Amino acid sequence: MNKKHPVLGIYITEEPSLTANLYGIDPKLAKQFEPLRKKIYNPENKKILDELILLIEKYPDAPMLKNYLSVAYSKRGMNEKAYEVNNLLVAQHPGYLFGKLNLANQCADDEKYELIPEILGEDMDIKSLFPDRDTFHVGEVTAFLKIQVRYYIGIDDLENAEKKLALMKEI
């Protein structure tokens, strides 16, 4: 799937190497991403935290690894550590979408909905937020739509929440 979406005006792909290519990630490291993701979502796996920290030391320019560490902390109920890592991620890689999405989700968790448009742009449009990109991974698009749904529910705009949810289901 790599066709232009009629509503969003962007190309959506399932190609897993898209973001790795955007950030110039070493192919050897990129091959580790899927196994790492599986370990992150297994809360019994405590070793993944140390593994990710070592990888971040080795590959400090790979924002995905910091995102994985933030998610790993969150999945283990260590939210303060997750927020700390994500704040570092956003500071070091301000153009990394998942860092922004994590920050927006943190605002939703804290019921600070008014801050979300400051993070995702006033029009909350993925193309406006990243005007130099035409193609986005399906995971990026659905995660962006998910935070929009949370935002609209949080501000009691159920009509727009339903529209974004329908769009997410379609994609």
PDB file of all heavy atoms in Angstrom, residues 38-62:
ATOM      1  N   LYS A  38       8.913  -6.347  19.890  1.00  0.00           N
ATOM      2  CA  LYS A  38       8.266  -7.490  20.548  1.00  0.00           C
ATOM      3  C   LYS A  38       8.678  -7.576  22.015  1.00  0.00           C
ATOM      4  O   LYS A  38       7.850  -7.851  22.882  1.00  0.00           O
ATOM      5  CB  LYS A  38       8.594  -8.788  19.810  1.00  0.00           C
ATOM      6  CG  LYS A  38       7.901  -8.885  18.468  1.00  0.00           C
ATOM      7  CD  LYS A  38       8.276 -10.154  17.736  1.00  0.00           C
ATOM      8  CE  LYS A  38       7.588 -10.166  16.368  1.00  0.00           C
ATOM      9  NZ  LYS A  38       8.008 -11.303  15.564  1.00  0.00           N
ATOM     10  N   LYS A  39       9.947  -7.332  22.291  1.00  0.00           N
ATOM     11  CA  LYS A  39      10.426  -7.380  23.667  1.00  0.00           C
ATOM     12  C   LYS A  39       9.833  -6.239  24.506  1.00  0.00           C
ATOM     13  O   LYS A  39       9.545  -6.430  25.690  1.00  0.00           O
ATOM     14  CB  LYS A  39      11.955  -7.294  23.701  1.00  0.00           C
ATOM     15  CG  LYS A  39      12.661  -8.501  23.125  1.00  0.00           C
ATOM     16  CD  LYS A  39      14.166  -8.275  23.151  1.00  0.00           C
ATOM     17  CE  LYS A  39      14.928  -9.393  22.481  1.00  0.00           C
ATOM     18  NZ  LYS A  39      16.386  -9.116  22.475  1.00  0.00           N
ATOM     19  N   ILE A  40       9.679  -5.080  23.886  1.00  0.00           N
ATOM     20  CA  ILE A  40       9.146  -3.911  24.592  1.00  0.00           C
ATOM     21  C   ILE A  40       7.748  -4.189  25.130  1.00  0.00           C
ATOM     22  O   ILE A  40       7.414  -3.811  26.250  1.00  0.00           O
ATOM     23  CB  ILE A  40       9.112  -2.692  23.637  1.00  0.00           C
ATOM     24  CG1 ILE A  40      10.516  -2.190  23.362  1.00  0.00           C
ATOM     25  CG2 ILE A  40       8.253  -1.568  24.214  1.00  0.00           C
ATOM     26  CD1 ILE A  40      10.592  -1.250  22.188  1.00  0.00           C
ATOM     27  N   TYR A  41       6.937  -4.850  24.331  1.00  0.00           N
ATOM     28  CA  TYR A  41       5.540  -5.072  24.708  1.00  0.00           C
ATOM     29  C   TYR A  41       5.347  -6.306  25.592  1.00  0.00           C
ATOM     30  O   TYR A  41       4.222  -6.621  25.945  1.00  0.00           O
ATOM     31  CB  TYR A  41       4.666  -5.125  23.458  1.00  0.00           C
ATOM     32  CG  TYR A  41       4.512  -3.754  22.851  1.00  0.00           C
ATOM     33  CD1 TYR A  41       5.261  -3.364  21.746  1.00  0.00           C
ATOM     34  CD2 TYR A  41       3.646  -2.828  23.414  1.00  0.00           C
ATOM     35  CE1 TYR A  41       5.146  -2.097  21.216  1.00  0.00           C
ATOM     36  CE2 TYR A  41       3.524  -1.552  22.891  1.00  0.00           C
ATOM     37  CZ  TYR A  41       4.276  -1.185  21.790  1.00  0.00           C
ATOM     38  OH  TYR A  41       4.163   0.080  21.274  1.00  0.00           O
ATOM     39  N   ASN A  42       6.444  -6.961  25.954  1.00  0.00           N
ATOM     40  CA  ASN A  42       6.375  -8.074  26.894  1.00  0.00           C
ATOM     41  C   ASN A  42       6.807  -7.541  28.260  1.00  0.00           C
ATOM     42  O   ASN A  42       8.000  -7.425  28.533  1.00  0.00           O
ATOM     43  CB  ASN A  42       7.288  -9.214  26.450  1.00  0.00           C
ATOM     44  CG  ASN A  42       7.351 -10.342  27.467  1.00  0.00           C
ATOM     45  OD1 ASN A  42       6.683 -10.311  28.491  1.00  0.00           O
ATOM     46  ND2 ASN A  42       8.184 -11.328  27.182  1.00  0.00           N
ATOM     47  N   PRO A  43       5.848  -7.203  29.137  1.00  0.00           N
ATOM     48  CA  PRO A  43       6.204  -6.573  30.415  1.00  0.00           C
ATOM     49  C   PRO A  43       7.041  -7.466  31.336  1.00  0.00           C
ATOM     50  O   PRO A  43       7.673  -6.979  32.265  1.00  0.00           O
ATOM     51  CB  PRO A  43       4.855  -6.245  31.056  1.00  0.00           C
ATOM     52  CG  PRO A  43       3.850  -7.061  30.337  1.00  0.00           C
ATOM     53  CD  PRO A  43       4.417  -7.383  28.985  1.00  0.00           C
ATOM     54  N   GLU A  44       7.068  -8.762  31.056  1.00  0.00           N
ATOM     55  CA  GLU A  44       7.890  -9.675  31.854  1.00  0.00           C
ATOM     56  C   GLU A  44       9.375  -9.505  31.537  1.00  0.00           C
ATOM     57  O   GLU A  44      10.226  -9.865  32.347  1.00  0.00           O
ATOM     58  CB  GLU A  44       7.474 -11.132  31.589  1.00  0.00           C
ATOM     59  CG  GLU A  44       6.004 -11.424  31.810  1.00  0.00           C
ATOM     60  CD  GLU A  44       5.565 -11.172  33.240  1.00  0.00           C
ATOM     61  OE1 GLU A  44       6.280 -11.588  34.158  1.00  0.00           O
ATOM     62  OE2 GLU A  44       4.515 -10.533  33.423  1.00  0.00           O
ATOM     63  N   ASN A  45       9.679  -8.984  30.359  1.00  0.00           N
ATOM     64  CA  ASN A  45      11.066  -8.841  29.924  1.00  0.00           C
ATOM     65  C   ASN A  45      11.655  -7.564  30.535  1.00  0.00           C
ATOM     66  O   ASN A  45      11.431  -6.469  30.042  1.00  0.00           O
ATOM     67  CB  ASN A  45      11.134  -8.794  28.397  1.00  0.00           C
ATOM     68  CG  ASN A  45      12.558  -8.768  27.881  1.00  0.00           C
ATOM     69  OD1 ASN A  45      13.479  -8.343  28.574  1.00  0.00           O
ATOM     70  ND2 ASN A  45      12.742  -9.211  26.658  1.00  0.00           N
ATOM     71  N   LYS A  46      12.407  -7.725  31.598  1.00  0.00           N
ATOM     72  CA  LYS A  46      13.041  -6.576  32.272  1.00  0.00           C
ATOM     73  C   LYS A  46      14.390  -6.232  31.630  1.00  0.00           C
ATOM     74  O   LYS A  46      14.878  -5.120  31.757  1.00  0.00           O
ATOM     75  CB  LYS A  46      13.238  -6.865  33.761  1.00  0.00           C
ATOM     76  CG  LYS A  46      11.982  -7.237  34.501  1.00  0.00           C
ATOM     77  CD  LYS A  46      11.037  -6.089  34.638  1.00  0.00           C
ATOM     78  CE  LYS A  46       9.844  -6.498  35.499  1.00  0.00           C
ATOM     79  NZ  LYS A  46       8.676  -5.742  35.246  1.00  0.00           N
ATOM     80  N   LYS A  47      14.987  -7.192  30.940  1.00  0.00           N
ATOM     81  CA  LYS A  47      16.305  -6.983  30.332  1.00  0.00           C
ATOM     82  C   LYS A  47      16.258  -5.990  29.174  1.00  0.00           C
ATOM     83  O   LYS A  47      17.285  -5.427  28.818  1.00  0.00           O
ATOM     84  CB  LYS A  47      16.888  -8.313  29.861  1.00  0.00           C
ATOM     85  CG  LYS A  47      17.222  -9.261  30.985  1.00  0.00           C
ATOM     86  CD  LYS A  47      17.795 -10.562  30.461  1.00  0.00           C
ATOM     87  CE  LYS A  47      18.089 -11.518  31.595  1.00  0.00           C
ATOM     88  NZ  LYS A  47      18.611 -12.797  31.118  1.00  0.00           N
ATOM     89  N   ILE A  48      15.091  -5.797  28.598  1.00  0.00           N
ATOM     90  CA  ILE A  48      14.982  -4.905  27.435  1.00  0.00           C
ATOM     91  C   ILE A  48      15.411  -3.479  27.784  1.00  0.00           C
ATOM     92  O   ILE A  48      15.983  -2.786  26.947  1.00  0.00           O
ATOM     93  CB  ILE A  48      13.552  -4.934  26.826  1.00  0.00           C
ATOM     94  CG1 ILE A  48      13.495  -4.124  25.517  1.00  0.00           C
ATOM     95  CG2 ILE A  48      12.528  -4.404  27.804  1.00  0.00           C
ATOM     96  CD1 ILE A  48      14.350  -4.646  24.411  1.00  0.00           C
ATOM     97  N   LEU A  49      15.176  -3.055  29.015  1.00  0.00           N
ATOM     98  CA  LEU A  49      15.561  -1.695  29.411  1.00  0.00           C
ATOM     99  C   LEU A  49      17.075  -1.510  29.282  1.00  0.00           C
ATOM    100  O   LEU A  49      17.530  -0.547  28.652  1.00  0.00           O
ATOM    101  CB  LEU A  49      15.089  -1.403  30.839  1.00  0.00           C
ATOM    102  CG  LEU A  49      13.584  -1.471  31.058  1.00  0.00           C
ATOM    103  CD1 LEU A  49      13.251  -1.348  32.540  1.00  0.00           C
ATOM    104  CD2 LEU A  49      12.846  -0.426  30.243  1.00  0.00           C
ATOM    105  N   ASP A  50      17.833  -2.433  29.839  1.00  0.00           N
ATOM    106  CA  ASP A  50      19.303  -2.351  29.742  1.00  0.00           C
ATOM    107  C   ASP A  50      19.767  -2.494  28.294  1.00  0.00           C
ATOM    108  O   ASP A  50      20.702  -1.809  27.865  1.00  0.00           O
ATOM    109  CB  ASP A  50      19.968  -3.419  30.616  1.00  0.00           C
ATOM    110  CG  ASP A  50      19.778  -3.150  32.105  1.00  0.00           C
ATOM    111  OD1 ASP A  50      19.622  -1.977  32.492  1.00  0.00           O
ATOM    112  OD2 ASP A  50      19.782  -4.128  32.876  1.00  0.00           O
ATOM    113  N   GLU A  51      19.123  -3.375  27.562  1.00  0.00           N
ATOM    114  CA  GLU A  51      19.478  -3.570  26.153  1.00  0.00           C
ATOM    115  C   GLU A  51      19.289  -2.279  25.357  1.00  0.00           C
ATOM    116  O   GLU A  51      20.152  -1.887  24.565  1.00  0.00           O
ATOM    117  CB  GLU A  51      18.618  -4.697  25.561  1.00  0.00           C
ATOM    118  CG  GLU A  51      18.973  -5.061  24.141  1.00  0.00           C
ATOM    119  CD  GLU A  51      18.131  -6.218  23.598  1.00  0.00           C
ATOM    120  OE1 GLU A  51      17.420  -6.895  24.366  1.00  0.00           O
ATOM    121  OE2 GLU A  51      18.201  -6.439  22.374  1.00  0.00           O
ATOM    122  N   LEU A  52      18.167  -1.598  25.588  1.00  0.00           N
ATOM    123  CA  LEU A  52      17.903  -0.345  24.876  1.00  0.00           C
ATOM    124  C   LEU A  52      18.868   0.758  25.285  1.00  0.00           C
ATOM    125  O   LEU A  52      19.340   1.520  24.441  1.00  0.00           O
ATOM    126  CB  LEU A  52      16.454   0.099  25.109  1.00  0.00           C
ATOM    127  CG  LEU A  52      15.412  -0.730  24.372  1.00  0.00           C
ATOM    128  CD1 LEU A  52      14.017  -0.437  24.901  1.00  0.00           C
ATOM    129  CD2 LEU A  52      15.487  -0.489  22.872  1.00  0.00           C
ATOM    130  N   ILE A  53      19.182   0.833  26.564  1.00  0.00           N
ATOM    131  CA  ILE A  53      20.133   1.848  27.037  1.00  0.00           C
ATOM    132  C   ILE A  53      21.487   1.655  26.359  1.00  0.00           C
ATOM    133  O   ILE A  53      22.115   2.624  25.905  1.00  0.00           O
ATOM    134  CB  ILE A  53      20.238   1.823  28.577  1.00  0.00           C
ATOM    135  CG1 ILE A  53      18.925   2.359  29.181  1.00  0.00           C
ATOM    136  CG2 ILE A  53      21.443   2.626  29.064  1.00  0.00           C
ATOM    137  CD1 ILE A  53      18.773   2.117  30.673  1.00  0.00           C
ATOM    138  N   LEU A  54      21.936   0.418  26.247  1.00  0.00           N
ATOM    139  CA  LEU A  54      23.207   0.139  25.569  1.00  0.00           C
ATOM    140  C   LEU A  54      23.143   0.509  24.088  1.00  0.00           C
ATOM    141  O   LEU A  54      24.093   1.075  23.535  1.00  0.00           O
ATOM    142  CB  LEU A  54      23.594  -1.331  25.741  1.00  0.00           C
ATOM    143  CG  LEU A  54      24.026  -1.748  27.144  1.00  0.00           C
ATOM    144  CD1 LEU A  54      24.222  -3.263  27.220  1.00  0.00           C
ATOM    145  CD2 LEU A  54      25.299  -1.017  27.556  1.00  0.00           C
ATOM    146  N   LEU A  55      22.028   0.186  23.454  1.00  0.00           N
ATOM    147  CA  LEU A  55      21.875   0.532  22.034  1.00  0.00           C
ATOM    148  C   LEU A  55      21.849   2.048  21.832  1.00  0.00           C
ATOM    149  O   LEU A  55      22.410   2.558  20.856  1.00  0.00           O
ATOM    150  CB  LEU A  55      20.618  -0.111  21.453  1.00  0.00           C
ATOM    151  CG  LEU A  55      20.719  -1.599  21.146  1.00  0.00           C
ATOM    152  CD1 LEU A  55      19.350  -2.192  20.850  1.00  0.00           C
ATOM    153  CD2 LEU A  55      21.669  -1.831  19.961  1.00  0.00           C
ATOM    154  N   ILE A  56      21.210   2.773  22.733  1.00  0.00           N
ATOM    155  CA  ILE A  56      21.166   4.240  22.632  1.00  0.00           C
ATOM    156  C   ILE A  56      22.565   4.812  22.784  1.00  0.00           C
ATOM    157  O   ILE A  56      22.933   5.758  22.075  1.00  0.00           O
ATOM    158  CB  ILE A  56      20.192   4.825  23.680  1.00  0.00           C
ATOM    159  CG1 ILE A  56      18.748   4.479  23.293  1.00  0.00           C
ATOM    160  CG2 ILE A  56      20.367   6.332  23.818  1.00  0.00           C
ATOM    161  CD1 ILE A  56      17.717   4.728  24.388  1.00  0.00           C
ATOM    162  N   GLU A  57      23.359   4.248  23.672  1.00  0.00           N
ATOM    163  CA  GLU A  57      24.754   4.698  23.818  1.00  0.00           C
ATOM    164  C   GLU A  57      25.530   4.456  22.523  1.00  0.00           C
ATOM    165  O   GLU A  57      26.348   5.280  22.123  1.00  0.00           O
ATOM    166  CB  GLU A  57      25.425   3.990  24.992  1.00  0.00           C
ATOM    167  CG  GLU A  57      24.906   4.448  26.334  1.00  0.00           C
ATOM    168  CD  GLU A  57      25.436   3.632  27.505  1.00  0.00           C
ATOM    169  OE1 GLU A  57      26.256   2.696  27.292  1.00  0.00           O
ATOM    170  OE2 GLU A  57      25.019   3.923  28.639  1.00  0.00           O
ATOM    171  N   LYS A  58      25.261   3.343  21.878  1.00  0.00           N
ATOM    172  CA  LYS A  58      25.957   2.996  20.644  1.00  0.00           C
ATOM    173  C   LYS A  58      25.436   3.793  19.442  1.00  0.00           C
ATOM    174  O   LYS A  58      26.201   4.149  18.543  1.00  0.00           O
ATOM    175  CB  LYS A  58      25.805   1.495  20.369  1.00  0.00           C
ATOM    176  CG  LYS A  58      26.608   0.989  19.195  1.00  0.00           C
ATOM    177  CD  LYS A  58      26.539  -0.515  19.090  1.00  0.00           C
ATOM    178  CE  LYS A  58      27.365  -1.004  17.906  1.00  0.00           C
ATOM    179  NZ  LYS A  58      27.347  -2.468  17.797  1.00  0.00           N
ATOM    180  N   TYR A  59      24.118   4.062  19.427  1.00  0.00           N
ATOM    181  CA  TYR A  59      23.475   4.758  18.306  1.00  0.00           C
ATOM    182  C   TYR A  59      22.693   5.972  18.827  1.00  0.00           C
ATOM    183  O   TYR A  59      21.456   5.987  18.801  1.00  0.00           O
ATOM    184  CB  TYR A  59      22.517   3.829  17.564  1.00  0.00           C
ATOM    185  CG  TYR A  59      23.139   2.593  16.972  1.00  0.00           C
ATOM    186  CD1 TYR A  59      23.057   1.364  17.630  1.00  0.00           C
ATOM    187  CD2 TYR A  59      23.789   2.635  15.744  1.00  0.00           C
ATOM    188  CE1 TYR A  59      23.616   0.216  17.081  1.00  0.00           C
ATOM    189  CE2 TYR A  59      24.355   1.501  15.188  1.00  0.00           C
ATOM    190  CZ  TYR A  59      24.261   0.291  15.867  1.00  0.00           C
ATOM    191  OH  TYR A  59      24.818  -0.843  15.317  1.00  0.00           O
ATOM    192  N   PRO A  60      23.378   7.018  19.291  1.00  0.00           N
ATOM    193  CA  PRO A  60      22.686   8.163  19.896  1.00  0.00           C
ATOM    194  C   PRO A  60      21.827   8.969  18.912  1.00  0.00           C
ATOM    195  O   PRO A  60      20.946   9.725  19.337  1.00  0.00           O
ATOM    196  CB  PRO A  60      23.824   9.015  20.458  1.00  0.00           C
ATOM    197  CG  PRO A  60      25.023   8.641  19.642  1.00  0.00           C
ATOM    198  CD  PRO A  60      24.834   7.192  19.293  1.00  0.00           C
ATOM    199  N   ASP A  61      22.052   8.803  17.621  1.00  0.00           N
ATOM    200  CA  ASP A  61      21.288   9.560  16.624  1.00  0.00           C
ATOM    201  C   ASP A  61      20.056   8.820  16.124  1.00  0.00           C
ATOM    202  O   ASP A  61      19.395   9.290  15.189  1.00  0.00           O
ATOM    203  CB  ASP A  61      22.188   9.922  15.434  1.00  0.00           C
ATOM    204  CG  ASP A  61      23.311  10.866  15.848  1.00  0.00           C
ATOM    205  OD1 ASP A  61      23.094  11.678  16.775  1.00  0.00           O
ATOM    206  OD2 ASP A  61      24.393  10.791  15.251  1.00  0.00           O
ATOM    207  N   ALA A  62      19.728   7.691  16.735  1.00  0.00           N
ATOM    208  CA  ALA A  62      18.564   6.896  16.324  1.00  0.00           C
ATOM    209  C   ALA A  62      17.390   7.199  17.261  1.00  0.00           C
ATOM    210  O   ALA A  62      17.301   6.615  18.346  1.00  0.00           O
ATOM    211  CB  ALA A  62      18.898   5.414  16.332  1.00  0.00           C
TER     212      ALA A  62
END
